[in-house]
């Protein structure tokens, strides 16, 4: 799944990998995580239709027909693809959602320390926050993510 959105987007949103619903629909961030992402983007005044939404890993990682975290081998296999997408789109900011997306670009960073911050790499600005699915499993992350997206909205709007 390559992703969807504008080829000239000023904001690129990068998640972990497609899940079951994404795999079935061919669209990134569907289901509960997608609903959470939509609410967070609205909070930041970012129009999803004006952004480009994708994942670090382009195929659904499966284990016994269940979603799982992508392996470093899967991430490394897809990394040239996402890097090329960013070179072509040339966004003002790339929003990395969750540890897998963060560690694809910044292998030594921890999500708990990096969330809410902007990091630079090869001339590109990256905004770090938790994956929208995280607040489904850990309700305490909801207010943290709200604060992160408030900060994102103050810096970048679409």
């Amino acid at each position: 799944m390559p992703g969807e959105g504008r080829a000239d987007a000023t904001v690129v949103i990068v998640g972990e990998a497609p899940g079951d619903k994404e795999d079935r629909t061919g669209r990134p961030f569907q289901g509960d995580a997608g609903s959470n992402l939509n609410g967070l983007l609205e909070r930041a005044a970012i129009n999803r239709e004006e952004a480009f939404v994708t994942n670090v890993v382009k195929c659904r990682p499966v284990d016994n027909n269940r979603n799982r975290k992508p392996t470093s081998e899967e991430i490394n296999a897809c990394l040239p693809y996402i890097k090329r997408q960013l070179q072509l789109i040339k966004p003002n900011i790339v929003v990395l959602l969750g540890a897998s997306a963060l560690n694809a670009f910044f292998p030594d960073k921890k999500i708990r320390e990096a969330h809410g911050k902007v990091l630079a790499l090869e001339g590109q600005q990256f905004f770090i926050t938790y994956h929208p699915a995280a607040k489904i499993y850990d309700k305490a992350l909801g207010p943290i993510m709200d604060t992160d997206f408030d900060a994102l909205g103050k810096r970048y709007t679409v």
Side-chain angles (χ1 to χ4, degrees):
M1 174 182 317
E4 69 179 11
R6 296 180 57 108
D8 63 348
T10 59
V11 176
V12 171
I13 299 153
V14 180
E16 179 178 272
D20 179 55
K21 287 183 181 168
E22 292 81 1
D23 197 42
R24 284 188 277 123
T25 64
R27 300 186 66 216
F29 283 95
Q30 301 298 297
D32 292 339
S35 294
N36 285 346
L37 176 62
N38 292 342
L40 291 163
L41 291 174
E42 185 176 309
R43 181 180 193 96
I46 294 173
N47 183 340
R48 180 173 170 155
E49 288 75 32
E50 298 293 318
F52 189 85
V53 183
T54 190
N55 289 294
V56 169
V57 173
K58 304 301 182 180
C59 301
R60 179 180 178 218
V62 179
D63 185 19
N64 292 325
N65 206 31
R66 295 185 55 153
N67 296 338
R68 63 165 170 74
K69 183 178 175 178
T71 64
S72 59
E73 291 81 14
E74 291 165 333
I75 292 170
N76 289 334
C78 294
L79 196 54
Y81 190 89
I82 185 74
K83 285 184 174 181
R84 183 66 178 137
Q85 285 181 300
L86 296 177
Q87 288 172 345
L88 293 170
I89 297 170
K90 298 180 177 86
N92 294 341
I93 190 75
V94 177
V95 181
L96 298 178
L97 301 174
S100 292
L102 169 65
N103 294 145
F105 293 92
F106 302 95
D108 297 330
K109 299 289 184 185
K110 303 288 183 212
I111 192 77
R112 285 192 175 134
E113 297 161 2
H115 80 88
K117 296 184 170 96
V118 175
L119 303 175
L121 179 68
E122 300 173 1
Q124 180 64 65
Q125 301 291 306
F126 294 86
F127 184 86
I128 315 306
T129 190
Y130 289 93
H131 192 283
K135 75 182 209 175
I136 296 168
Y137 306 106
D138 185 350
K139 301 292 185 212
L141 290 176
I144 294 168
M145 294 179 73
D146 289 347
T147 300
D148 286 356
F149 275 82
D150 288 344
L152 176 64
K154 288 177 184 166
R155 289 183 73 116
Y156 303 94
T157 56
V158 174

